Amino acid sequence: MREIILINITGQDKPGLTSRLTHILAQYDVTILDIGQAVIHDYLSLGILVEIPVEHSSSSILKDLLFKAHELGIQIRFSAIDTKS
């Protein structure tokens, strides 16, 4: 079953932040469908729409992202996207 998740990241922008998060996605062969960001006065708002491969559990991927976000001092939120519509 196809699983699409929107990842929203907010917080103080830092060099290499996006790279560290997308590195985790790459380890699980996650497909990035869309990405957008805005930085205003060093405050990052980043959205990444991803497709989770069927051979990986989304819970493992989201857990790793959550731990990395905590380590980086940023907020992260996940929203499942309905693929039936």
Side-chain angles (χ1 to χ4, degrees), residues 27-54:
Q27 289 177 319
Y28 289 99
D29 295 322
V30 170
T31 301
I32 294 176
L33 301 172
D34 198 5
I35 189 167
Q37 75 172 17
V39 179
I40 301 171
H41 291 287
D42 295 325
Y43 189 82
L44 174 68
S45 180
L46 173 64
I48 307 173
L49 186 66
V50 298
E51 182 177 0
I52 306 296
V54 293

Side-chain angles (χ1 to χ4, degrees), residues 2 6-9 11 17-18 26 31 35 41 43 45 49 51 55-56 63 66 68 78 80 84:
R2 186 173 183 206
L6 177 60
I7 305 168
N8 290 296
I9 299 118
L17 190 144
T18 303
T31 301
I35 189 167
H41 291 287
Y43 189 82
S45 180
L49 186 66
E51 182 177 0
E55 62 269 9
H56 291 293
K63 175 187 62 90
L66 190 60
K68 182 56 75 174
F78 308 104
K84 294 177 182 146

